[in-house]
């Protein structure tokens, strides 16, 4: 069995936060956008879950954010995360 740890989580919708910072000419760092508790949750999960040959915990945070440095954009300045809403075609 494999359990994936928590994903990178942001304080609000990342594209909106990035656009506001851009329009206001505010210099930011990725940590300005991240929920800091996600690192604590990830560490607590690692510590609490048993080491076993038939069980593996994979830290998404460690994979995406080496040394707690999480990217907020990918190639070409595309936000790492998109807004999730029901307003798009096929939404509920």
């Amino acid at each position: 069995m494999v359990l994936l740890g928590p994903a990178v989580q942001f304080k609000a919708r990342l594209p909106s936060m990035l656009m506001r910072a851009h329009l206001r000419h505010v210099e930011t760092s990725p940590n300005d956008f991240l929920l800091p508790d996600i690192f604590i949750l990830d560490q607590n999960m690692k510590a609490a879950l048993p080491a076993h040959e038939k069980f593996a915990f994979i830290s998404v945070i460690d994979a995406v954010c080496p040394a707690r440095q999480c990217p907020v954009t990918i190639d070409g300045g595309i936000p790492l995360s998109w807004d999730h809403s029901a307003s798009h075609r096929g939404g509920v």
Side-chain angles (χ1 to χ4, degrees):
M1 174 183 280
V2 175
L3 176 66
L4 297 176
V8 177
Q9 295 180 25
F10 301 97
K11 294 176 181 176
R13 293 184 170 140
L14 181 60
S16 299
M17 290 189 299
L18 290 171
M19 183 56 72
R20 277 192 301 275
H22 173 74
L23 292 174
R24 294 175 181 164
H25 305 289
V26 175
E27 288 193 37
T28 60
S29 77
N31 289 336
D32 296 332
F33 305 113
L34 295 170
L35 285 177
D37 292 345
I38 201 65
F39 294 103
I40 295 167
L41 174 61
D42 189 67
Q43 290 296 334
N44 288 344
M45 288 179 73
K46 276 188 235 178
L49 295 169
H52 192 274
E53 67 182 51
K54 294 185 180 183
F55 175 82
F57 174 79
I58 297 175
S59 171
V60 174
I61 295 291
D62 285 350
V64 176
C65 306
R68 296 183 89 163
Q69 299 300 308
C70 301
V72 293
T73 60
I74 56 174
D75 296 336
I78 298 168
L80 182 67
S81 172
W82 290 94
D83 291 351
H84 301 285
S85 71
S87 62
H88 67 280
R89 178 182 244 167
V92 179

